[in-house]
Amino acid sequence: MTALTIATVDITPARDRAPGPGPVLPRMLTGDRPTGRLHLGHYAGSLANRIRLHRQYQSFFIVADLHMLTTKNSREDIAGTGQRAADMVLDSLAAGLDPAHSVFYLQSGVPEVAELSLLLSSLVSVPRLQRIPSLKEMARHAGQREMPLALLAYPVLQAADILAVKAAVVPVGRDNAAHVEVARELARRFNRRYGAVFPVPALVPADVPALPGTDGRAKMSKSLGNAVYLSDPPDEVAAKVRRMYTDPARTSSGVPGTVEGNPVFVYHEVFNDRPAEVADLKERYRAGKVGDAEVKDKLAAALNRFLDPIRERRAELAADRGLVEELIVTGTERTRDEVRRTVAEVRAAMGLTTALAGFHAAARARAAAAVPAKPAAAVPILTETVRDRD
Ligand code: TRP
């Protein structure tokens, strides 16, 4: 049976079902650590995919602030979480996520996920996690010489996020694929050992190559300072484009240039809505018949055409004070409800509730059978205390 077949099993609480008969939408979960404002790299790499998919599912978007702690945990890092989370959600909405189809939640507001993570951690070995390359990469990137325990357990916590909402599909980039694989293994192992609780989540690969930075480096990223943000004003976009790295061998507009891998043309390809213009620019660039200024001016114009409606919507949403915050609050509550239910199911499936339930029953039986308790011990102690004070 494939993951998706399992996922079609109705796991939706009645109150979430559409009225009347008809299939229930399976759940999708994805998200990010709270990095702040989103840039074109986020858009091309994940946001566009999310926007395309999210109406086909009950879509959950996590702001993974507990995952952030595995590499960034200073008081300042943590203090900035609220602002960065709100910015991310605002940008996502501005870019096209429909709040009617999206549940945004803050991971630390759902502490039951940590319990699930602990319970799942017995089902995976340390060497299995040590073999995941993205974790070593993250440790190195964070300047850690030794692997923090929480970072090693990063995929287990991510599996807990995914399984806690019983997600059927998880669209993520290449660096997260191995983590989803861990979630799949844990779901299968749990179900085999304790009973069928979890749908096995399917990975939806976001099959886009990373968008290069404005400096020509392989990846657009905030920390590299080579990003164009969805919220950058038009003149800032134009200025960033003017400074963009392009074919370094091209010393004047008469020299034939290379289009392949040239970030200016990569952006044209991804964001310019006028394919004929792009084809014409490429042809003239290769022939040495166009200046960089023209190619860049047209790119800035194209990016601004793309960003205009996003900026406009962002301004509208931002003017609606407290809207984003309210969405996060209701989304976190909604998710917490869901997760509480799952964790209760997990504890029951594992038989973890049996011992305490037995103790309760025995204690109740004793209370019911008991003769009234006599305060025998209290009396002499009290007397002595009084006498001591004299
Ligand atoms: N690991 C993701 C990142 O790189 C964030 C994340 C946490 C996530 N939990 C998730 C993504 C569950 C998808 C599903 O920031």
Side-chain angles (χ1 to χ4, degrees):
M1 209 192 289
T2 68
L4 279 170
T5 348
I6 296 175
T8 54
V9 171
D10 188 351
I11 48 171
T12 313
R15 65 190 172 75
D16 291 342
R17 283 184 207 144
V24 175
L25 294 180
R27 302 222 176 112
M28 168 172 116
L29 170 66
T30 187
D32 313 88
R33 282 157 288 170
T35 47
R37 290 188 300 142
L38 302 182
H39 52 60
L40 292 177
H42 292 122
Y43 188 91
S46 53
L47 196 46
N49 197 36
R50 291 174 189 181
I51 293 165
R52 190 170 55 77
L53 288 172
H54 78 296
R55 284 192 185 80
Q56 304 167 35
Y57 299 94
Q58 299 179 63
S59 295
F60 289 75
F61 297 100
I62 186 172
V63 178
D65 59 338
L66 298 178
H67 274 111
M68 177 190 82
L69 300 180
T70 64
T71 55
K72 292 173 88 181
N73 52 20
S74 72
R75 289 182 64 92
E76 300 78 66
D77 289 334
I78 298 168
T81 295
Q83 186 61 54
R84 291 197 309 272
D87 275 339
M88 277 168 72
V89 172
L90 181 58
D91 282 341
S92 303
L93 293 169
L97 284 185
D98 179 350
H101 287 266
S102 309
V103 177
F104 296 98
Y105 73 99
L106 187 64
Q107 188 181 29
S108 63
V110 188
E112 291 78 7
V113 164
E115 182 181 352
L116 182 58
S117 181
L118 176 78
L119 296 175
L120 295 173
S121 67
S122 296
L123 300 177
V124 63
S125 76
V126 168
R128 167 73 180 88
L129 298 171
Q130 280 170 330
R131 281 195 295 272
I132 297 175
S134 56
L135 301 179
K136 286 181 216 156
E137 174 56 31
M138 277 196 268
R140 206 182 50 75
H141 196 251
Q144 300 277 3
R145 276 188 302 118
E146 294 183 327
M147 175 67 73
L149 177 59
L151 187 51
L152 187 66
Y154 186 114
V156 181
L157 181 58
Q158 187 162 350
D161 296 329
I162 295 168
L163 302 183
V165 300
K166 297 191 175 180
V169 294
V170 185
V172 288
R174 218 159 295 165
D175 49 344
N176 267 268
H179 308 170
V180 179
E181 193 49 45
V182 171
R184 291 166 56 80
E185 279 173 32
L186 285 170
R188 284 196 217 98
R189 204 161 293 154
F190 186 98
N191 289 349
R192 224 181 299 127
R193 192 170 294 192
Y194 304 114
V197 170
F198 298 119
V200 178
L203 167 75
V204 180
D207 253 342
V208 256
L211 194 73
T214 52
D215 57 359
R217 279 194 273 191
K219 200 173 169 186
M220 182 177 283
S221 110
K222 176 184 185 159
S223 58
L224 294 176
N226 61 6
V228 177
Y229 291 91
L230 301 185
S231 49
D232 279 345
D235 52 342
E236 196 163 338
V237 172
K240 285 181 178 177
V241 169
R242 241 177 278 125
R243 290 196 301 268
M244 265 183 85
Y245 175 93
T246 180
D247 182 350
R250 203 159 176 261
T251 45
S252 82
S253 53
V255 178
T258 306
V259 163
E260 286 68 32
N262 184 331
V264 174
F265 280 99
V266 175
Y267 291 14
H268 262 300
E269 199 67 64
V270 178
F271 294 104
N272 194 338
D273 56 351
R274 297 175 183 168
E277 178 178 286
V278 178
D280 168 64
L281 288 173
K282 279 184 183 172
E283 197 185 309
R284 289 195 286 139
Y285 197 79
R286 287 198 180 101
K289 288 193 173 131
V290 64
D292 270 33
E294 185 185 341
V295 181
K296 288 183 168 180
D297 281 351
K298 290 198 162 130
L299 176 60
L303 290 181
N304 280 327
R305 280 198 303 280
F306 169 76
L307 291 173
D308 271 341
I310 296 179
R311 283 186 289 242
E312 204 173 295
R313 180 134 176 78
R314 194 182 198 279
E316 277 167 29
L317 291 162
D320 195 342
R321 291 237 154 245
L323 171 72
V324 164
E325 291 82 353
E326 184 185 273
L327 285 172
I328 297 174
V329 167
T330 52
T332 303
E333 278 168 10
R334 157 82 200 279
T335 306
R336 192 168 187 196
D337 265 11
E338 222 56 79
V339 174
R340 279 206 179 108
R341 248 194 300 272
T342 307
V343 171
E345 238 184 289
V346 164
R347 290 169 62 105
M350 293 177 75
L352 268 182
T353 46
T354 318
L356 194 59
F359 296 154
H360 273 294
R364 266 196 312 271
R366 174 180 156 86
V371 284
K374 27 180 187 157
V379 175
I381 291 171
L382 194 65
T383 324
E384 258 167 49
T385 315
V386 172
R387 206 185 295 138
D388 281 352
R389 236 193 266 138
D390 287 342

